[in-house]
Amino acid sequence: MSHGGGGRASAQLVDELFAPAFDNASLNPGNDGALLPSPAPGHRLVFSTDTHVISPLFFPGGDIGSLSVHGTINDVAMMGATPVALAAGFVLEEGLELAQLARIVESMAAAARAAGVPVAAGDTKVVERGKGDGVFITTTGIGTVPSARVIGGQCARPGDAVLVSGTIGEHGIAVLSRRESLEFETKIVSDSAALHGLVAALLAALPEGAVHVLRDPTRGGLAATLNEIAQQSDAGIVLQEAAIPVQPEVAGACEFLGLDPLHVANEGKLVAMVAPGAEQAALEALRAHPLGRSAARIGEVVEDPLRFVQMVTRLGGRRLVDWLTGEQLPRIC
Amino acid sequence: MSHGGGGRASAQLVDELFAPAFDNASLNPGNDGALLPSPAPGHRLVFSTDTHVISPLFFPGGDIGSLSVHGTINDVAMMGATPVALAAGFVLEEGLELAQLARIVESMAAAARAAGVPVAAGDTKVVERGKGDGVFITTTGIGTVPSARVIGGQCARPGDAVLVSGTIGEHGIAVLSRRESLEFETKIVSDSAALHGLVAALLAALPEGAVHVLRDPTRGGLAATLNEIAQQSDAGIVLQEAAIPVQPEVAGACEFLGLDPLHVANEGKLVAMVAPGAEQAALEALRAHPLGRSAARIGEVVEDPLRFVQMVTRLGGRRLVDWLTGEQLPRIC
């Protein structure tokens, strides 16, 4: 508990663990805030925050540290923006092993370095044993976007192609398998990844204005994401079940667990809705990037005053793709 | 738990509680990030984050909602910056009453409105009962500061006057009295307040460059704050005990509890270190503002290779003002 009290032990934790890991020019002066350059003229700021309470802290393909970097970078990138800095707030539970915390902090710092986005500000609090759960991390991101660029859930238009950047469901199944100590024959690994490079490649390949919507289907999976967008854009969406890429191992695990892959969280995939004429170029740009190799066109935006998300099944029927009313996979991110 | 799963219940919680409370143009589109205008030319960004785990959630003079707005606005203001937007990440414990959450969210929204700084982005996660403690809130702030302005803990110079904007110790004692169900004859109320207006008034009254350091003495109190600054600036500080303003009720409570007011947290006070010639104008500007009426000169920055913070006591002796090695008041903010 003394590490959270603001005394010498707090300062030591910051000086010896956090500061060296996140070493960068903005964080180093040790003041209440970090100084960052203004965006270039003709740009606006994007500001996004994401709280991570994933359990367990370590899972196949990542941990809460790397996830908390990827999740927030992706939220910024989904606005069509270039992420420039992150801030991280930690809630540590008393009794958490320092070695475990160090592993998480180092993983977080490595993910930030790999993405080229510094952790410029941070805060750490400690709560008593039984009042937290190891580590929670709230990561906030700033990005810059050309002022004229408007990408958002409200911008889908009937006729838009609905693309996904790859196979769905790995993150949720990887976390669940670790949590429940399930053994699958093939190890399923989280797709956790920073998507700002993929977004930049997509935007560079298309005329400005051709990308209408970008969103990462995290909590609630593809189904929740598409329903949100349908609501925001006052439109319907029709999916083709056969076109939705799912790894056979994930499909098998979902069947075994009674889950629908459409409801399972992803942390390294994006949905893009693009103007009809831009579909082919968009798919080519996505597939040319390592994080978009399995990109596919999975459906279309349609006029629908009821804002339904529907799916044409493999057997040719149609079913409604609703978001879940209850809880399927808590603490997945 | 269903409120955190990303399904329909999550969306309802956001639509019905958070969105109406924080209603503003940036938050409303419901996308992954908020869009904000760029700073004016010749400005830089300030970026700061603060995690709030205060216990209890409600205390005399505030609650975790208002505190989480004040704390982050103050961190931004201490860089000499004008706060422009906040983001809030919530960790909710299963079983928290919705009425209690609503009270906190409304208090947070009211504090943000009163300060003129919108909550532009947010996220909510839910953890199982016994894995959290009601509510934790991480609030991140963005501000803008003229590029030429350099205010920070590294800028104290020998000869600078050390000012404090008012009486110290109320926040910590108010929280502790509620936590321990202590009854004092006079009710002690937290000083929790947003200090950006006070900072603006101070900066407007002095020539640019006359304010060297601004910092709010929160966790660890005045003692920790002054020691941090002494380290950063490679200087010593000599305080005059008789000049440090403390409410008699706070002094009495500290004596009763065996606490030193120098180590008790504040949430609505600032320390300013100003060039010697600017001292009088600075005190007048602080005292003319409602949040600085009891402002006082409490000491001076001195040359000291050992970076000691010393205090001339009421009896004329000198003692070292160290920061605490252990834990005095956990979860005070």
Side-chain angles (χ1 to χ4, degrees), chain B residues 99-127:
Chain B
Q100 206 171 40
L101 177 61
R103 239 179 101 192
I104 291 166
V105 168
E106 277 153 24
S107 163
M108 192 171 182
R113 267 196 309 275
V117 186
V119 178
D123 188 31
T124 303
K125 296 284 156 70
V126 180
V127 297

Side-chain angles (χ1 to χ4, degrees), chain B residues 306-327:
Chain B
L306 296 175
R307 305 171 179 180
F308 282 151
V309 178
Q310 300 181 70
M311 186 161 73
V312 178
T313 67
R314 287 174 201 275
L315 301 174
R318 276 201 180 212
R319 74 168 175 91
L320 212 60
V321 178
D322 205 358
W323 44 21
L324 297 176
T325 43
E327 174 69 13

Side-chain angles (χ1 to χ4, degrees), chain A residues 29 32 48 51 125 215 232 324, chain B residues 29 31-32 48 51 125 232:
Chain A
D32 283 333
S48 186
T51 296
K125 295 284 157 67
R215 187 150 313 168
Q232 284 184 263
L324 296 176
Chain B
N31 286 315
D32 283 333
S48 185
T51 296
K125 296 284 156 70
Q232 284 183 263

Side-chain angles (χ1 to χ4, degrees), chain A residues 73-74 77-78 193-200 216 267-270 291:
Chain A
I73 285 180
N74 292 349
M78 297 307 136
L195 296 173
H196 57 319
L198 183 65
V199 168
D216 52 337
E267 289 289 347
K269 299 292 154 38
L270 62 81
L291 294 173

Side-chain angles (χ1 to χ4, degrees), chain A residues 127-276:
Chain A
V127 296
E128 303 88 342
R129 203 182 291 261
K131 302 290 188 183
D133 195 16
V135 187
F136 304 141
I137 306 177
T138 297
T139 311
T140 307
I142 292 181
T144 64
V145 63
S147 301
R149 183 175 293 163
V150 181
I151 293 175
Q154 75 283 11
C155 300
R157 296 286 167 266
D160 282 359
V162 178
L163 314 179
V164 66
S165 64
T167 51
I168 63 167
E170 288 110 87
H171 176 72
I173 297 299
V175 173
L176 197 67
S177 67
R178 173 58 53 94
R179 192 187 297 168
E180 310 290 348
S181 299
L182 295 171
E183 298 284 338
F184 298 115
E185 280 188 24
T186 309
K187 188 163 174 168
I188 297 166
V189 174
S190 168
D191 59 337
S192 181
L195 296 173
H196 57 319
L198 183 65
V199 168
L202 175 65
L203 291 171
L206 302 191
E208 189 71 43
V211 176
H212 296 168
V213 180
L214 291 171
R215 187 150 313 168
D216 52 337
T218 56
R219 264 192 298 182
L222 196 59
T225 294
L226 295 177
N227 272 286
E228 282 167 21
I229 295 168
Q231 292 295 323
Q232 284 184 263
S233 289
D234 194 16
I237 295 171
V238 178
L239 300 176
Q240 302 294 330
E241 184 177 22
I244 300 173
V246 184
Q247 290 179 4
E249 297 81 0
V250 170
C254 281
E255 206 174 317
F256 175 73
L257 296 165
L259 297 173
D260 182 339
L262 292 174
H263 290 136
V264 178
N266 311 276
E267 289 289 347
K269 299 292 154 38
L270 62 81
V271 171
M273 302 193 185
V274 302

Side-chain angles (χ1 to χ4, degrees), chain A residues 1-11 29-40 43-53 55 74-76 78-79 85-91 120-128 130-133 136 138 140-142 145 149 151-154 214-216 219-220 224 228 232 322-331 333, chain B residues 1-11 29-40 43-53 55 74-76 78-79 85-91 120-128 130-133 136 138 140-142 145 149 151-154 214-216 219-220 224 228 232 322-331 333:
Chain A
M1 283 301 295
S2 66
H3 287 111
R8 196 183 289 277
S10 293
N31 287 317
D32 283 333
L35 281 168
L36 303 172
S38 261
H43 285 67
R44 288 195 286 182
L45 291 173
V46 166
F47 190 32
S48 186
T49 196
D50 216 345
T51 296
H52 298 87
V53 298
S55 172
N74 292 349
D75 283 345
V76 170
M78 297 307 136
M79 304 291 292
L86 301 174
F90 294 80
V91 178
D123 188 31
T124 303
K125 295 284 157 67
V126 180
V127 296
E128 303 88 342
K131 302 290 188 183
D133 195 16
F136 304 141
T138 297
T140 307
I142 292 181
V145 63
R149 183 175 293 163
I151 293 175
Q154 75 283 11
L214 291 171
R215 187 150 313 168
D216 52 337
R219 264 192 298 182
E228 282 167 21
Q232 284 184 263
D322 205 358
W323 41 22
L324 296 176
T325 44
E327 175 69 14
Q328 189 177 44
L329 294 173
R331 301 188 60 189
C333 61
Chain B
M1 283 301 295
S2 66
H3 287 112
R8 195 184 290 275
S10 293
N31 286 315
D32 283 333
L35 281 169
L36 303 173
S38 261
H43 285 67
R44 288 194 287 183
L45 291 173
V46 166
F47 189 31
S48 185
T49 197
D50 216 344
T51 296
H52 298 87
V53 299
S55 173
N74 292 349
D75 283 346
V76 170
M78 295 309 134
M79 303 293 290
L86 301 173
F90 293 80
V91 177
D123 188 31
T124 303
K125 296 284 156 70
V126 180
V127 297
E128 303 88 342
K131 302 291 188 185
D133 194 15
F136 304 142
T138 298
T140 308
I142 293 182
V145 63
R149 183 174 293 163
I151 292 174
Q154 73 284 9
L214 291 171
R215 186 149 316 163
D216 53 337
R219 264 193 297 184
E228 283 167 22
Q232 284 183 263
D322 205 358
W323 44 21
L324 297 176
T325 43
E327 174 69 13
Q328 188 178 42
L329 294 173
R331 300 189 58 189
C333 60

